[in-house]
């Protein structure tokens, strides 16, 4: 019986020791947690500044502007044709014009107007597809460069200043990595 009581006392003593050890470990973790937060590195960059000097982006923009102008000119020509036909209709059609001729001319104008609307929609869709086709590889290269700089520098994350409208960046504790990204992209 004495042995049983001694074992219980020893067991109780070990439990208290374990609880104390767990408390000490938790206290140490809680004390070190703020230090690890401060040890993290943060970065920011400006994608607009990069885009202004990135040759692939500038080439894509020039090509897209030319395509947009081509679509715009095409629609303007169609609008001129519609305007000319409408003026001709107004000059030639009057009360004495037979109803079937008047309806045919009105139908021609409606058809041309629908073709213009369809051309506008087709051009818009085509432009968006071409834009995605040209810009996606550029965006991917930029993202790859950002990721490489983050990894090399041991940064936790980076914020793009040009798209972070509602985010305030404390630049005194955040590193500007724009120049390193430009270097990764071969820009200087």
């Amino acid at each position: 019986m004495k042995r049983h009581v001694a074992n219980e006392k020893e067991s109780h003593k070990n439990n208290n020791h374990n609880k104390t050890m767990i408390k000490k470990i938790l206290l140490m973790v809680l004390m070190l947690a703020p230090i690890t937060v401060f040890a993290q590195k943060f970065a920011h960059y400006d994608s607009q500044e990069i885009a202004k000097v990135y040759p692939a982006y500038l080439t894509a923009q020039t090509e897209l502007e030319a395509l947009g102008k081509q679509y715009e000119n095409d629609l303007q020509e169609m609008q001129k044709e519609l305007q000319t036909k409408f003026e001709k209709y107004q000059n030639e059609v009057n009360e004495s014009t037979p109803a079937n001729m008047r309806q045919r001319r009105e139908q021609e104008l409606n058809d041309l107007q629908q073709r213009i609307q369809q051309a506008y929609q087709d051009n818009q869709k085509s432009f968006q597809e071409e834009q995605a086709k040209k810009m996606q590889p550029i965006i991917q290269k930029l993202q790859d460069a950002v990721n490489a700089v983050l990894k090399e520098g041991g940064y936790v994350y980076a914020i793009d200043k040009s798209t972070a409208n509602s985010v305030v960046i404390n630049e005194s504790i955040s590193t500007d990595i724009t120049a390193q990204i430009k270097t990764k992209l071969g820009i200087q």
Side-chain angles (χ1 to χ4, degrees):
M1 183 80 149
K2 286 183 184 181
R3 194 187 233 178
H4 181 63
V5 171
N7 283 340
E8 272 186 37
K9 285 183 181 180
E10 187 67 31
S11 175
H12 184 58
K13 188 176 175 184
N14 283 339
N15 280 343
N16 283 340
H17 179 69
N18 287 343
K19 287 181 182 178
T20 304
M21 185 60 88
I22 290 172
K23 287 180 183 177
K24 286 180 182 179
I25 290 172
L26 283 174
L27 182 61
M28 194 165 41
V29 167
L30 290 174
M31 289 176 63
L32 292 176
I35 294 171
T36 59
V37 169
F38 290 119
Q40 294 178 348
K41 293 170 60 177
F42 305 103
H44 61 275
Y45 64 98
D46 189 342
S47 63
Q48 287 182 349
E49 181 182 325
I50 295 167
K52 285 191 278 187
V53 293
Y54 189 30
Y57 177 81
L58 297 173
T59 299
Q61 278 299 106
T62 301
E63 290 171 358
L64 289 170
E65 286 172 9
L67 181 63
K69 192 72 172 162
Q70 182 181 354
Y71 287 151
E72 185 179 323
N73 290 340
D74 184 43
L75 289 173
Q76 285 176 351
E77 287 298 315
M78 293 176 84
Q79 286 285 24
K80 285 180 188 175
E81 180 184 353
L82 177 64
Q83 184 65 32
T84 302
K85 286 187 176 188
F86 181 71
E87 288 171 1
K88 184 177 178 182
Y89 168 81
Q90 285 182 323
N91 291 334
E92 294 178 356
V93 175
N94 54 41
E95 293 87 36
S96 64
T97 306
N100 65 338
M101 285 182 71
R102 187 177 317 157
Q103 288 174 344
R104 189 174 43 225
R105 295 257 175 97
E106 288 171 358
Q107 186 61 44
E108 286 175 14
L109 291 172
N110 285 335
D111 290 346
L112 183 55
Q113 189 168 8
Q114 287 177 352
R115 281 193 358 245
I116 292 171
Q117 289 173 348
Q118 187 62 48
Y120 176 78
Q121 291 171 355
D122 292 345
N123 290 351
Q124 236 182 355
K125 182 182 176 191
S126 180
F127 184 83
Q128 289 171 347
E129 289 170 354
E130 192 65 22
Q131 185 178 34
K133 182 177 132 186
K134 289 185 180 300
M135 290 303 188
Q136 187 56 40
I138 295 168
I139 292 167
Q140 187 60 52
K141 285 180 185 177
L142 174 62
Q143 191 59 51
D144 291 346
V146 169
N147 289 336
V149 170
L150 290 178
K151 187 175 182 179
E152 290 170 8
Y155 297 101
V156 177
Y157 66 86
I159 296 174
D160 182 356
K161 288 178 15 174
S162 62
T163 60
N165 296 334
S166 62
V167 176
V168 178
I169 300 169
N170 184 346
E171 293 185 20
S172 65
I173 60 172
S174 176
T175 305
D176 187 349
I177 58 172
T178 304
Q180 291 138 301
I181 294 169
K182 285 180 180 179
T183 301
K184 286 282 180 202
L185 294 170
I187 303 170
Q188 247 351 0

